[in-house]
Amino acid sequence: MDKGIETIVFPFASWGESLALMTEKLQQLSGSTEGEFLSIGARLQDYYFRAGSIDRLASDVTAQVSGEEVQGAIEHLVTLLDKMQNYLVDSEREAGLDCESLGNVLRLLEQVVEPLSGFSTINKVLRMLGMSTKIESARLGNSAAGFDTIAADVANLSVQVLEKSQTILTQQSSLCDTIRKTLEGVEKTEAEQIQRVQGILDKTRASLASLKEINSNCSVIASVVASASSEISKGMSEVVTSMQFHDIVRQQIEHVETALAELHHRVTSCGSEEMDLAVEMTDICELQAAQLRQAGDEISDAVRSIIDNLCKVSDKESNTASKTREMAGVADRAGSSFFSDMADDLKKIAAVFASNAEANKSITRAMTSVAGTVGEIVTYVGDIEHIGEEIELIAMNAQIKAARTGAEGAALGVLAEATQRLSVEAQEQTGNVSRTLLAVTETTESLFHDVGEEAENLENEIDSIVNELDSVLNSLRLLNENIIEKVQSLEGEVLALSCDIESTTSSISVHELMASGLSDVLGALNAIVAEAAALIPIDLAKGKTARLQELATRYTMHSERKVHAGFAGAEGFDTFSGSGSEESDDNVELF
């Protein structure tokens, strides 16, 4: 110190004690916050992984809702409903044809009544001719021998014709009643079944339309949830990355701590009149105060930024949870009861179609009965035809005998000729009945074959459709239950993460603790600077560049350089900037 300068005594001892307390305070502050920062970092890391898991689950739900498996099952169900609709149309058409065929059979059988009724008239005339023949035979006496026997034979045969024709009429009437009842039952059953099945099919199609709408809505919501979850996951990644600020601030505080510790060592071993040291100490304390202010501001801003970002993430998670609940509600509209109701309706259709198959079988049975009875009628008609031939033969014999009798047998010849004409008429009648019955037989045989084959084919087809329906509905039900389960799981994870984040943000106070501790140290530094400034002459408070160069070489972060440059001036940075080693450059954090 120059002799011309007045001797100034500096309170280095007091300053040394203060520097020691500040160094200790910074050590405690660094240590006390380290554990809390590590705890926050661990929780953020956990939230980051959970956000990623939610993102993957949301994407999985989106893929499943709009995936090929669900869409394929729905389209398969639509195809099966179309098959059932076609089956219904075919069944209605076939039933109409069957009823038309039965109506034709009924009309043909009704045509048999008229020729069969004619046998009653023929019988009456034959009986009258037989009685006349007996009378005439009795009048002629021995010359008309044998005519009474002929008359008896004709009378007997006429009775047989009547009996057989009456039997045929009875069977015809029974057949007509059977066909009418079958027609009535089939037409009524078909009308009711078609109306019922169509109603169920329409209801099922409406359910399918609802299912498609549900699936579409779920897909849209799931996409929104997946997109939000992806944004949240990215946001959490940025928050976790921002935790690096703690290492930066910690290094900055450690550098301040080292500088103050070195300064403490120097001031405790110096004389109380060392002006240069006092000036240097003032500059160092003022620079370290600037570094601590910058570190305090940085940590406060960073932590507040983390809290704000976490709050935003929490809000997004709450919105996501709301959307997820909405999706769960939408998906639940297609819950188990939805598919159970649809399955029950389709089982009703299957039951109706089974009843329809039974109706077809009833037609088959009716046709079997018709065919059997018609076969019996044909036999009776053949008997009548044979009887007519016998009557014709008897009449021809009678004519021959009457001719032999001469003029006296002329009346018997007329009677015999009339009997022959009736026998020919009876044969014509039986021919008409036979032709009608042949048409009945052909129609019943054709209907019997068609209905039987159709019933078997339709029964096989509906069994196949019903089995496919059970399989598709079961697949859709399982897929939907899986989606609902995942949606509920997603909602639970989203809500849990949101609650945990809210709990974390409300409990973060490390920045306040850090700010309070740094404020104490800054107060002590400012006090030393103020005391020293009051003692140091103004003209000596210069030359910061030379005194602070050594500190500048220790910086590892751009933020420290920036503070130093702002304090020492641009020229105070030249030496460091131009001569920094490659190793020190590698350690620089651009924060």
Side-chain angles (χ1 to χ4, degrees):
M1 190 71 63
D2 295 337
K3 294 181 180 179
I5 299 177
E6 182 182 351
T7 300
I8 300 175
V9 177
F10 295 100
F12 284 120
S14 172
W15 289 349
E17 291 177 2
S18 181
L19 288 171
L21 290 174
M22 283 187 277
T23 302
E24 184 181 357
K25 180 73 173 180
L26 290 176
Q27 287 177 341
Q28 292 174 350
L29 191 62
S30 180
S32 62
T33 58
E34 179 74 15
E36 187 167 352
F37 272 115
L38 290 175
S39 175
I40 294 172
R43 278 179 279 173
L44 291 181
Q45 195 72 21
D46 174 56
Y47 299 160
Y48 168 70
F49 286 119
R50 287 165 63 183
S53 175
I54 289 172
D55 182 22
R56 289 188 294 275
L57 183 56
S59 298
D60 185 30
V61 171
T62 303
Q64 190 164 357
V65 168
S66 57
E68 293 181 1
E69 194 172 2
V70 172
Q71 299 298 329
I74 292 176
E75 292 305 319
H76 192 181
L77 194 53
V78 171
T79 300
L80 291 176
L81 285 179
D82 289 340
K83 282 186 178 180
M84 297 185 86
Q85 184 70 56
N86 293 336
Y87 176 93
L88 183 64
V89 172
D90 291 343
S91 176
E92 184 177 9
R93 185 184 66 253
E94 293 296 334
L97 293 175
D98 293 344
C99 290
E100 184 179 350
S101 297
L102 281 174
N104 289 336
V105 170
L106 183 61
R107 285 188 290 275
L108 288 171
L109 286 173
E110 288 173 345
Q111 292 175 14
V112 174
V113 174
E114 185 178 352
L116 286 175
S117 299
F119 285 121
S120 177
T121 302
I122 291 174
N123 175 64
K124 291 178 181 178
V125 175
L126 282 174
R127 288 175 61 191
M128 183 185 66
L129 289 173
M131 290 177 62
S132 298
T133 300
K134 284 185 179 181
I135 293 171
E136 187 63 23
S137 175
R139 186 183 66 80
L140 293 176
N142 291 332
S143 61
F147 274 96
D148 54 345
T149 302
I150 292 174
D153 291 340
V154 169
N156 182 48
L157 291 173
S158 67
V159 171
Q160 291 183 40
V161 169
L162 181 61
E163 289 176 351
K164 291 184 182 295
S165 64
Q166 289 298 327
T167 300
I168 292 173
L169 282 172
T170 301
Q171 290 179 323
Q172 180 269 350
S173 177
S174 176
L175 279 180
C176 288
D177 288 342
T178 299
I179 292 173
R180 288 192 189 96
K181 289 179 181 178
T182 302
L183 264 176
E184 182 181 351
V186 170
E187 288 174 345
K188 181 180 179 182
T189 301
E190 283 292 333
E192 292 177 352
Q193 288 178 347
I194 288 170
Q195 184 178 5
R196 185 181 178 192
V197 170
Q198 191 61 60
I200 295 175
L201 282 176
D202 291 342
K203 178 184 174 184
T204 305
R205 288 188 185 280
S207 298
L208 263 182
S210 176
L211 181 61
K212 285 184 176 180
E213 181 183 0
I214 290 169
N215 189 67
S216 176
N217 291 339
C218 277
S219 182
V220 171
I221 298 172
S223 296
V224 172
V225 171
S227 177
S229 297
S230 180
E231 291 180 7
I232 290 169
S233 182
K234 291 178 182 177
M236 281 305 307
S237 177
E238 293 173 1
V239 171
V240 170
T241 302
S242 69
M243 280 296 292
Q244 292 178 354
F245 81 90
H246 174 250
D247 286 336
I248 298 171
V249 172
R250 179 179 54 78
Q251 290 181 52
Q252 198 168 358
I253 292 175
E254 285 177 355
H255 292 163
V256 172
E257 179 191 333
T258 300
L260 294 181
E262 291 176 351
L263 186 60
H264 168 262
H265 177 71
R266 292 177 63 188
V267 299
T268 55
S269 60
C270 70
S272 62
E273 298 179 359
E274 294 187 17
M275 177 66 72
D276 290 341
L277 179 59
V279 173
E280 182 180 351
M281 187 187 71
T282 302
D283 289 342
I284 291 174
C285 287
E286 194 173 351
L287 173 59
Q288 301 315 309
Q291 293 285 10
L292 288 180
R293 278 194 297 273
Q294 193 274 341
D297 292 343
E298 198 165 81
I299 197 168
S300 294
D301 291 344
V303 173
R304 278 195 292 270
S305 175
I306 287 176
I307 292 174
D308 290 344
N309 286 332
L310 284 175
C311 288
K312 290 177 182 178
V313 168
S314 179
D315 290 341
K316 287 183 178 179
E317 290 288 11
S318 297
N319 292 334
T320 301
S322 175
K323 281 290 182 183
T324 307
R325 278 193 297 273
E326 181 183 350
M327 181 165 58
V330 171
D332 196 49
R333 285 168 51 198
S336 297
S337 60
F338 179 91
F339 291 100
S340 296
D341 291 345
M342 193 182 295
D344 289 342
D345 285 339
L346 293 174
K347 285 178 181 177
K348 291 175 183 176
I349 292 179
V352 169
F353 285 153
S355 175
N356 183 57
E358 187 60 33
N360 287 335
K361 290 178 181 178
S362 71
I363 295 176
T364 304
R365 288 192 294 269
M367 291 303 97
T368 303
S369 173
V370 169
T373 305
V374 167
E376 293 179 9
I377 292 175
V378 169
T379 301
Y380 287 126
V381 170
D383 292 342
I384 293 174
E385 190 174 7
H386 180 66
I387 292 170
E389 291 173 353
E390 290 186 17
I391 293 174
E392 183 181 8
L393 182 60
I394 291 171
M396 289 176 64
N397 290 332
Q399 282 180 308
I400 294 171
K401 292 187 73 169
R404 290 176 180 174
T405 306
E408 293 181 356
L412 290 173
V414 172
L415 292 173
E417 184 178 351
T419 300
Q420 183 183 16
R421 284 198 303 271
L422 282 176
S423 69
V424 172
E425 184 179 344
Q427 292 178 60
E428 290 177 354
Q429 294 283 58
T430 55
N432 292 335
V433 173
S434 294
R435 284 188 293 274
T436 302
L437 292 177
L438 178 61
V440 171
T441 301
E442 291 175 350
T443 302
T444 54
E445 285 180 352
S446 174
L447 185 59
F448 177 82
H449 178 269
D450 291 344
V451 170
E453 185 176 356
E454 170 205 339
E456 184 177 355
N457 291 337
L458 291 179
E459 193 170 358
N460 292 335
E461 182 179 356
I462 199 60
D463 285 344
S464 174
I465 292 175
V466 169
N467 290 333
E468 283 190 75
L469 280 170
D470 286 341
S471 176
V472 173
L473 282 174
N474 189 53
S475 296
L476 269 175
R477 180 181 58 80
L478 292 176
L479 284 170
N480 191 73
E481 288 176 357
N482 183 256
I483 289 172
I484 291 176
E485 182 180 347
K486 286 185 177 180
V487 168
Q488 290 172 344
S489 175
L490 179 62
E491 180 187 3
E493 290 191 26
V494 167
L495 287 174
L497 180 57
S498 178
C499 290
D500 289 346
I501 289 175
E502 288 179 5
S503 175
T504 295
T505 54
S506 63
S507 65
I508 293 178
S509 61
V510 64
H511 59 303
E512 297 172 352
L513 177 64
M514 181 72 79
S516 176
L518 292 178
S519 177
D520 293 341
V521 175
L522 282 169
L525 285 173
N526 290 332
I528 291 176
V529 171
E531 289 178 14
L535 296 173
I536 298 171
I538 295 176
D539 61 333
L540 294 179
K542 295 178 180 180
K544 293 180 182 178
T545 301
R547 289 191 292 267
L548 301 179
Q549 283 297 315
E550 195 276 330
L551 286 177
T553 62
R554 302 179 183 181
Y555 298 144
T556 58
M557 294 164 292
H558 180 70
S559 56
E560 291 178 301
R561 288 180 169 191
K562 187 176 180 180
V563 172
H564 188 104
F567 178 77
E571 68 278 8
F573 229 9
D574 291 345
T575 302
F576 179 78
S577 301
S579 61
S581 67
E582 183 179 347
E583 180 180 358
S584 65
D585 286 342
D586 290 340
N587 291 330
V588 173
E589 294 281 354
L590 300 179
F591 185 82

